[in-house]
Amino acid sequence: MKRLNPLTLDQDGCAVLSFDEIRQDEFQEAQEAAFANLKPGENASNVLARGIAWGVYAQDRFTWLDRNTYQLPKELNPEEGGRVRRFPLMDKTFLELEDFQAAMRQCFEAWCFEETSFERAYEVQCSFIRYEPTIAQPAFPSPVMPHQDLIDGAIIVFNKTGDISGGLSRMYTLAGEPFVELDLGVGEALLVKDDRILHQVTTIQLEPSPTWRPGQRAYRDIGIVRFQALGR
């Protein structure tokens, strides 16, 4: 597999965005505080620390709801068997950060919806995940296989330490042929057209550097953002 440059949604079914604001110290501090509160979901087989946010984007404003559930058909995520999972609600202080919402708006604009948020309301769903491997246990994505999610999405890398390996984003044709592999950096986002391609994240492992010490944490923090038009 190779990295195509540049990827486009029309030609490849995926594309990469870059957000300078996510790399700034102020944002990184707020993100670290919010992700420290994430926990494994209730009724979930996968034990990754996660958070969730459902909301509505209309009139160029985000309104966040108290819904904390998420479900995929077992055909798309056999590991969870179609169960309804419950996750901690993401800290609204983080969700209301100007820089976070600016990144969200750029994701929305990249999809080129036919109607603006002043003409139509959009449901927005955000999943926040911390991959934190240990010496004894890698961090496995859910699901581990190439898959679809029923809706287009953007995968944003908020943070990652230098003592991990893996976490590569791989894209495949619907026939299962691999065509591109990406190692996203902090502040980069991968947009995926769900009806065009299969996607996968590789297992993340702890890879200690010479300065690493037992008990030192290593992780990769991401957010998955999805928009969907509401109404007929």
Side-chain angles (χ1 to χ4, degrees):
M1 289 183 283
K2 62 181 179 179
R3 178 165 184 163
L4 307 177
N5 191 22
L7 294 163
T8 67
L9 288 174
D10 288 341
Q11 177 178 321
D12 307 298
C14 55
V16 175
L17 299 180
S18 183
F19 307 112
D20 289 337
E21 56 266 38
I22 287 177
R23 305 183 186 98
Q24 302 303 312
D25 290 343
E26 184 177 354
F27 184 92
Q28 288 290 304
E29 291 175 5
Q31 178 267 322
E32 177 61 33
F35 273 67
N37 297 320
L38 305 188
K39 298 178 180 179
E42 298 178 12
N43 202 32
S45 297
N46 191 282
V47 295
L48 294 174
R50 298 184 61 154
I52 196 169
W54 290 89
V56 175
Y57 180 50
Q59 301 287 315
D60 197 33
R61 296 181 61 183
F62 293 94
T63 301
W64 300 105
L65 309 176
D66 291 331
R67 179 181 174 186
N68 67 348
T69 58
Y70 188 74
Q71 182 183 28
L72 279 175
K74 61 182 179 180
E75 293 80 10
L76 296 183
N77 191 341
E79 178 185 16
E80 301 297 348
R83 291 187 296 273
V84 176
R85 293 167 282 162
R86 296 182 181 275
F87 301 105
L89 290 173
M90 194 59 170
D91 185 346
K92 287 189 178 180
T93 300
F94 176 77
L95 296 175
E96 293 168 0
L97 284 176
E98 181 178 342
D99 286 342
F100 172 73
Q101 295 198 0
M104 296 275 286
R105 289 185 175 93
Q106 289 183 61
C107 289
F108 177 83
E109 291 170 1
W111 291 117
C112 298
F113 288 103
E114 292 184 1
E115 296 171 289
T116 71
S117 69
F118 292 93
E119 300 167 299
R120 189 167 189 169
Y122 292 82
E123 180 182 67
V124 55
Q125 190 271 320
C126 302
S127 294
F128 302 92
I129 308 171
R130 168 163 284 182
Y131 296 90
E132 187 171 1
T134 65
I135 289 291
Q137 182 67 49
F140 293 97
S142 177
V144 297
M145 63 185 183
H147 63 281
Q148 294 171 284
D149 293 322
L150 293 179
I151 184 173
D152 298 339
I155 304 164
I156 306 173
V157 177
F158 290 122
N159 191 13
K160 63 179 178 180
T161 70
D163 293 304
I164 58 173
S165 64
L168 304 177
S169 295
R170 291 177 176 170
M171 269 65 68
Y172 304 78
T173 68
L174 294 180
E177 296 294 329
F179 72 92
V180 67
E181 177 179 276
L182 303 172
D183 185 5
L184 297 174
V186 174
E188 290 190 314
L190 171 66
L191 276 65
V192 176
K193 289 189 70 66
D194 193 70
D195 64 346
R196 292 270 305 277
I197 60 177
L198 305 174
H199 62 280
Q200 175 190 38
V201 176
T202 63
T203 300
I204 297 175
Q205 296 179 313
L206 179 63
E207 188 172 285
S209 64
T211 59
W212 183 85
R213 295 292 180 268
Q216 183 176 327
R217 300 177 68 182
Y219 45 81
R220 178 179 186 262
D221 294 341
I222 71 161
I224 303 173
V225 179
R226 305 178 178 98
F227 289 95
Q228 189 170 22
L230 291 171
R232 293 183 294 174

